[in-house]
Amino acid sequence: MVSTDRVPAIFADARAVHADALRMLEAGDIRDAAEKAWCATKRATDALILARTGIEPEISSDTSRGLAALATQDQAFRALRRRYHARQSTLHGDCFYLGICEPVDEVEGRIQRTADYITDAERLAGYN
């Protein structure tokens, strides 16, 4: 693990953005809630990659490549990688960009369970 003050700060940001997503969801704005949940997912993944490699991803493709590299080195990252890409597709691509937020209960569940994703990323980063 790499020791840097940035890692806990990025995880804290991910949690704050997820809290915004939950507020938006409660207000009935599922589309923006989905995008906030996606942003929280990406931030948590960026923190994980920084903690494990010492390199903070700058753009989404860097995050995807970094997580893929971790998954090839350690099986523990494979499930997280699948969850990351499912969120990227469902929350970011389908719901936010295309406006396809159905089935609603599935999208809402993914938004809510983003907290679990952040917790799992923190555990894998060694920041419990």
Side-chain angles (χ1 to χ4, degrees), residues 7-8 13 15 28 33 35 44-47 51 53 59 64 71 74 80 82 86 91 121-122:
V7 173
D13 182 53
R15 290 219 179 265
E35 182 65 359
T45 309
D46 289 344
T53 68
I59 58 175
S64 294
D74 188 335
L80 195 75
R82 284 190 297 275
L91 299 177
E122 287 171 328

Side-chain angles (χ1 to χ4, degrees), residues 13-25 29-45 83-84 86-93 95-96 106-118:
D13 182 53
R15 290 219 179 265
V17 172
H18 181 244
D20 288 343
L22 294 177
R23 281 191 287 279
M24 289 177 175
L25 185 60
D29 188 354
I30 192 170
R31 195 169 181 176
D32 285 332
E35 182 65 359
K36 287 287 188 181
W38 160 246
C39 290
T41 299
K42 184 185 178 308
R43 294 298 287 156
T45 309
R83 291 164 61 199
Y84 173 85
R87 280 174 164 65
Q88 184 180 43
S89 174
T90 303
L91 299 177
H92 183 59
C95 188
F96 181 71
E106 181 181 313
V107 175
E108 288 177 345
R110 233 180 257 280
I111 292 167
Q112 292 164 346
R113 288 188 307 273
T114 298
D116 298 333
Y117 182 97
I118 296 167

Side-chain angles (χ1 to χ4, degrees), residues 1-4 6-8 10-11 44-57 66-67 69-71 73-78 80 120-128:
M1 310 291 162
V2 176
S3 180
T4 173
R6 290 274 310 142
V7 173
I10 298 169
F11 276 126
T45 309
D46 289 344
L48 167 62
I49 292 166
L50 176 59
R52 291 302 213 141
T53 68
I55 300 167
E56 184 175 349
L67 189 54
L70 290 173
Q73 297 169 11
D74 188 335
Q75 184 172 324
F77 294 93
R78 290 183 188 151
L80 195 75
D120 291 343
E122 287 171 328
R123 180 183 48 78
L124 288 168
Y127 286 83
N128 305 37

